[in-house]
């Protein structure tokens, strides 16, 4: 083969795929708060064993966008009722001053796994736990929970 001929595996010798035209499915579209200059983005994988209550109440310094890969999560943000997010569903939170109360595994027979992409404010940690005193002070902002 001369140097002027395309290689057998070259894209020039193969027809272009049209799959890209239908490959994209929008799972979530939200208008997040503004992202400050110098913010850091990170994508993390969270995995909880069966029945695990998840992370204690906390907040994130910036918005977070998530996708449930496997299992179910009991999800609760300040001011919103708790809800179950199942595999294939998305979730998001604005970050900042909003408390994230629950992200635990809603199933006792399987793991929960989810991906989260977060925007962290410059110089701030990705996650800050909320102490009991603040939880008491902000109790009026928490949505009513089943059985309470």
């Amino acid at each position: 083969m001369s140097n002027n001929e395309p290689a057998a595996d070259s894209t020039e010798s193969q027809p272009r795929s049209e799959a890209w035209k239908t490959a994209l499915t929008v799972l979530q579209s939200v208008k997040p708060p503004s992202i400050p200059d110098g913010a850091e983005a990170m994508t993390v994988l969270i995995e909880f064993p069966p029945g695990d209550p998840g992370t204690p109440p906390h907040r994130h310094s910036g918005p977070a966008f998530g996708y449930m890969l496997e299992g179910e999560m009991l999800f609760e943000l300040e001011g919103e009722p708790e809800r179950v997010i199942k595999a294939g569903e998305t979730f998001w939170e604005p970050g900042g001053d909003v408390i994230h109360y629950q992200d635990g595994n809603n199933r006792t027979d399987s793991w929960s796994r989810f991906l989260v992409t977060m925007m962290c404010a410059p110089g701030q940690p990705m996650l800050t736990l909320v102490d009991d005193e603040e939880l008491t002070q902000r109790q009026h902002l928490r949505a009513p929970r089943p059985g309470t």
Side-chain angles (χ1 to χ4, degrees):
M1 163 164 58
S2 76
N3 288 339
N4 295 336
E5 295 178 29
D9 62 349
S10 166
T11 56
E12 293 176 24
S13 65
Q14 296 180 15
R16 277 194 189 261
S17 168
E18 296 292 316
W20 66 271
K21 292 180 179 178
T22 58
L24 181 127
T25 301
V26 175
L27 298 176
Q28 177 183 59
S29 179
V30 298
K31 183 173 176 139
S34 64
I35 308 299
D37 287 341
E40 179 181 353
M42 64 176 66
T43 299
V44 298
L45 172 64
I46 310 294
E47 302 176 283
F48 289 127
D52 193 274
T55 312
H58 60 279
R59 60 175 47 96
H60 300 286
S61 63
F65 304 86
Y67 180 77
M68 198 73 197
L69 296 167
E70 181 180 336
E72 296 179 357
M73 176 196 343
L74 186 59
F75 184 81
E76 182 186 2
L77 291 179
E78 189 169 65
E80 297 180 8
E82 64 184 21
R83 62 189 168 110
V84 174
I85 298 171
K86 297 180 179 184
E89 296 179 345
T90 62
F91 56 95
W92 95 284
E93 58 184 284
D97 193 40
V98 176
I99 295 175
H100 184 172
Y101 286 99
Q102 297 186 74
D103 66 359
N105 188 341
N106 193 49
R107 304 279 307 256
T108 58
D109 61 344
S110 62
W111 281 73
S112 68
R113 292 180 172 87
F114 53 96
L115 285 173
V116 181
T117 298
M118 333 182 146
M119 306 295 168
C120 301
Q124 298 292 316
M126 171 194 61
L127 182 143
T128 303
L129 295 181
V130 177
D131 64 31
D132 290 340
E133 181 180 340
E134 184 177 0
L135 289 174
T136 300
Q137 292 170 353
R138 294 173 71 117
Q139 186 172 5
H140 67 284
L141 299 173
R142 191 170 187 181
R145 301 175 65 214
T148 60

